[in-house]
C-alpha cells in the first residue's frame, strides 16, 4: 500500500500562511512564518451587527473593506500616525505588524447619535461635541462591550506584548484617537461628508510600540453626506434593517463601494509649502532643524535667505511668489538681533507667520532671569 502525503501550502498574495492566530466575525488573522513580527489579515465576505447576532454573507464585501481600509491607513500614515498597516497584498488581504491587541474600542463622536443617546437620553440627537467626545468600551461581545472609564482601563493593568497599559499609554491612545478622528473628519469634509463618529483599536507590536491597528472601514464610522442623516452611507443602514432582503444587502454594498471610491479624492489637491525665511546664512543650522521636523511629518519645505531690514522689497517679492503659487502656506521667520523679519512678513500677508528667532546665549540668560523671577 502506498501512502501519499499531500502538503497543502496556503498562499495569499504570494505570502506563505502560517497558523491561524485568531478568527473574528469579519476577519481571519494568519501568522506569516517568513516575515518575523508580521501577520496577514484576510477579510471575509460577511457583514454582522449587534455583536454578531445579526449576520449575512455579502459577496464582494471583503474586497471593498480591504481597499477601504488600505486607503484610510495610507491617509493616516502620510499624516504621521504610527500604524500597524504595512500593505495590501491581495484583493481581500493585507499585511500588518503582528500585534497583541489592547482590548478596548476607542470611540470619538462629533455629533450625538446612536448608543450615546440611549445612555444619555436627555441629550438631543445632533448635539455637537466641541472638542469631540471620547468614549472607551471594553471589547467583550458576551457582555455587549460595556463602557469603561479611564480608571477601569488603568486598573485592569493590561499586559499587552509585555507593555503594561498605565496612565501614559492611555494618554497616548486618547491623543492619537482624537488626531485620527480630526484627520479623517477634515479629509471627508473635502467631499462634503460629515464624519459623525468612529471607533478604532490599538495593538502593541513585538517591539513594544503602541500602534493604531485592526481596520478602519465602513463598519468603523458613521458618515453622513452633506451632514444629512437620511443620506447615511455606513453600516448603520444595515443595523436599521429588520427584514434583510437581497435588495437591502445590495444597497448596503453599493454604499460601501461608493465610500471606497470617494477615498481616492480625499487627498488635499492644493499645493502646500512651509517657507523658512532666514535673515542670514548664519542661521542655517537652526533652520535645518526646523525643516527636518516639518519634513518628518510629511510637509514640503523651502529655505530662503533674505534680510527684512536690508532688502525689504526682495523679501516681500519672494513672499508674493509663494502666495501666488501655493494654496496652503506657512511662513517661518528666523532672524536674530533686529528680529524684524517676522513682523515684516506678518504685516504684509494673510498667511500665518511663525516667528522663531535662533536661540542665543543672551536669550538663555534672559529666560533664566525670568525663571528666577517666577519662582522667587
Ligand atoms: N495587527 C493585528 N495583529 C493581531 N491581531 C489583530 C491585528 N489587527 C486586528 N487584529 C485582531 O483580529 C481579530 C479579528 O478581527 P475581527 O473579525 O474584526 O474580530 P471581532 O469579531 O473581534 O471584531 C480581532 O480580535 C482583532 O483585534
Ligand atoms: Mg472587529
Amino acid at each position: 500500500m502506498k501512502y501519499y502525503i499531500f502538503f497543502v501550502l496556503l498562499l495569499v498574495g504570494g505570502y506563505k500562511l502560517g497558523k491561524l492566530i485568531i478568527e473574528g466575525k469579519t476577519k481571519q488573522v494568519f501568522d506569516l512564518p517568513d516575515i518575523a513580527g508580521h501577520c496577514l489579515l484576510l477579510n471575509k465576505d460577511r457583514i454582522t451587527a449587534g455583536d454578531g447576532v445579526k449576520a449575512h454573507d455579502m459577496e464582494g464585501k471583503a474586497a471593498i473593506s480591504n481597499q477601504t481600509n488600505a486607503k484610510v491607513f495610507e491617509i493616516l500614515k502620510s499624516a504621521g500616525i504610527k500604524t500597524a498597516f504595512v500593505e495590501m497584498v491581495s484583493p481581500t488581504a493585507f499585511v500588518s505588524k503582528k500585534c497583541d491587541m489592547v482590548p478596548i474600542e476607542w470611540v470619538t463622536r462629533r455629533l450625538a447619535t446612536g448608543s450615546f443617546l440611549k445612555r444619555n437620553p436627555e441629550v438631543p440627537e445632533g448635539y455637537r461635541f466641541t472638542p469631540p467626545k471620547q468614549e472607551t468600551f471594553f471589547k467583550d461581545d458576551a457582555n455587549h462591550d460595556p463602557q469603561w472609564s479611564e480608571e477601569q482601563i488603568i486598573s485592569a493593568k493590561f499586559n499587552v506584548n509585555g507593555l503594561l497599559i498605565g496612565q501614559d499609554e492611555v494618554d497616548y491612545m486618547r491623543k492619537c484617537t482624537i488626531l485620527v478622528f480630526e484627520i479623517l473628519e477634515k479629509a471627508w469634509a473635502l467631499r462634503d461628508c460629515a464624519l459623525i463618529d468612529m471607533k478604532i483599536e490599538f495593538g502593541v507590536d513585538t517591539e513594544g510600540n503602541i500602534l493604531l491597528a485592526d481596520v478602519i472601514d465602513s463598519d468603523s464610522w458613521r458618515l453622513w453626506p452633506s451632514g444629512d442623516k437620511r443620506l447615511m452611507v455606513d453600516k448603520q443602514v444595515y443595523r436599521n434593517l429588520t427584514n434583510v432582503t437581497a435588495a437591502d444587502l445590495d444597497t448596503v454594498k453599493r454604499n460601501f463601494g461608493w465610500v471606497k471610491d470617494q477615498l481616492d479624492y480625499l487627498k488635499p489637491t492644493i499645493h502646500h509649502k512651509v517657507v523658512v525665511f532666514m535673515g542670514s546664512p548664519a542661521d542655517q543650522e537652526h533652520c535645518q532643524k526646523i525643516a527636518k521636523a516639518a519634513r518628518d511629518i510629511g510637509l514640503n519645505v523651502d529655505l530662503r535667505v533674505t534680510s527684512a531690514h536690508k532688502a525689504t522689497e526682495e523679501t516681500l517679492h519672494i513672499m508674493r511668489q509663494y502666495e501666488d503659487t501655493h494654496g496652503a502656506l506657512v511662513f517661518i521667520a528666523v532672524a536674530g538681533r533686529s528680529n524684524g523679519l517676522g513682523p515684516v512678513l506678518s504685516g504684509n500677508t494673510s498667511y500665518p507667520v511663525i516667528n522663531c528667532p535662533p536661540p542665543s546665549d543672551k536669550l538663555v540668560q534672559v529666560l533664566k532671569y525670568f525663571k528666577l523671577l517666577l519662582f522667587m
Side-chain angles (χ1 to χ4, degrees):
M1 208 157 86
K2 282 185 185 165
Y3 293 94
Y4 294 98
I5 301 172
F6 291 101
F7 287 102
V8 180
L9 198 65
L10 202 51
L11 282 175
V12 172
Y15 287 84
K16 188 171 84 188
L17 296 193
K19 69 172 183 1
L20 178 69
I21 304 171
I22 185 166
E23 173 152 9
K25 296 184 288 291
T26 56
K27 294 179 297 278
Q28 292 176 310
V29 185
F30 290 94
D31 207 5
L32 289 175
D34 294 340
I35 332 178
H38 289 72
C39 62
L40 183 137
L41 283 95
L42 189 62
N43 287 277
K44 300 183 196 175
D45 273 342
R46 190 98 177 129
I47 183 164
T48 74
D51 304 315
V53 174
K54 186 168 167 182
H56 289 86
D57 288 333
M58 185 186 275
E59 199 202 327
K61 190 217 167 223
I64 296 174
S65 286
N66 196 42
Q67 286 186 57
T68 304
N69 174 61
K71 292 178 190 185
V72 171
F73 269 79
E74 287 304 341
I75 293 172
L76 295 172
K77 272 171 91 164
S78 69
I81 301 285
K82 293 193 173 70
T83 80
F85 179 83
V86 177
E87 61 172 341
M88 208 170 94
V89 293
S90 89
T92 56
F94 70 95
V95 168
S96 178
K97 293 261 184 70
K98 186 157 74 184
C99 293
D100 269 3
M101 300 299 289
V102 180
I104 298 291
E105 294 199 340
W106 302 79
V107 173
T108 314
R109 303 176 184 277
R110 176 61 82 188
L111 298 186
T113 188
S115 74
F116 183 88
L117 300 180
K118 290 202 189 105
R119 285 177 285 114
N120 302 270
E122 300 78 11
V123 179
E125 180 161 48
Y127 181 99
R128 191 173 176 84
F129 302 110
T130 314
K133 183 93 182 158
Q134 282 205 307
E135 293 181 325
T136 34
F137 298 85
F138 177 51
K139 268 186 75 109
D140 179 7
D141 277 349
N143 290 304
H144 310 293
D145 297 345
Q147 186 175 18
W148 267 27
S149 64
E150 181 171 305
E151 292 74 19
Q152 280 173 295
I153 301 174
I154 294 168
S155 304
K157 295 193 167 60
F158 291 121
N159 187 316
V160 188
N161 243 348
L163 183 73
L164 180 71
I165 304 300
Q167 184 72 58
D168 289 352
E169 290 71 23
V170 168
D171 286 349
Y172 173 78
M173 288 184 273
R174 268 197 195 293
K175 281 187 193 138
C176 192
T177 302
I178 285 283
L179 214 55
V180 166
F181 183 85
E182 290 184 342
I183 291 165
L184 294 176
E185 182 184 45
K186 285 196 169 64
W188 273 113
L190 294 169
R191 303 305 284 174
D192 190 27
C193 282
L195 186 62
I196 305 302
D197 50 34
M198 74 177 294
K199 79 100 188 159
I200 56 173
E201 294 178 27
F202 291 92
V204 178
D205 70 6
T206 44
E207 282 147 25
N209 304 304
I210 300 179
L211 302 174
L212 175 66
D214 198 54
V215 299
I216 299 178
D217 60 13
S218 280
D219 188 358
S220 310
W221 56 38
R222 282 192 178 83
L223 197 60
W224 297 354
S226 304
D228 187 338
K229 185 183 176 186
R230 293 166 301 178
L231 304 178
M232 63 171 80
V233 283
D234 51 76
K235 203 178 81 175
Q236 193 59 35
V237 176
Y238 174 73
R239 289 190 199 104
N240 291 346
L241 295 170
T242 37
N243 288 314
V244 185
T245 65
D248 291 330
L249 289 177
D250 261 2
T251 306
V252 173
K253 190 170 133 183
R254 210 173 327 109
N255 286 343
F256 285 9
W258 181 85
V259 167
K260 181 254 304 167
D261 291 338
Q262 291 299 305
L263 282 161
D264 289 333
Y265 305 103
L266 293 202
K267 293 174 196 95
T269 48
I270 48 172
H271 298 298
H272 80 266
K273 188 76 88 180
V274 175
V275 189
V276 183
F277 279 100
M278 60 187 106
S280 139
D283 299 326
Q284 178 93 7
E285 201 187 322
H286 177 57
C287 292
Q288 289 293 2
K289 285 186 199 156
I290 298 173
K292 183 179 180 309
R295 287 188 184 121
D296 283 351
I297 54 168
L299 298 172
N300 299 324
V301 185
D302 277 3
L303 295 179
R304 303 298 296 256
V305 181
T306 182
S307 163
H309 61 279
K310 289 188 203 148
T312 315
E313 274 184 23
E314 182 203 66
T315 304
L316 294 179
H317 182 66
I318 297 173
M319 194 175 74
R320 294 281 172 257
Q321 283 176 328
Y322 281 105
E323 287 179 337
D324 188 35
T325 49
H326 291 81
L329 272 174
V330 173
F331 295 112
I332 297 182
V334 178
R337 271 176 281 205
S338 83
N339 201 13
L341 187 57
V344 167
L345 295 177
S346 64
N348 287 281
T349 185
S350 53
Y351 287 99
V353 177
I354 302 170
N355 205 22
C356 194
S360 74
D361 289 351
K362 276 194 199 120
L363 182 68
V364 173
Q365 279 165 20
V366 172
L367 289 175
K368 277 186 185 155
Y369 181 62
F370 275 157
K371 198 171 157 191
L372 211 69
L373 288 177
L374 278 172
F375 296 105
M376 247 171 4

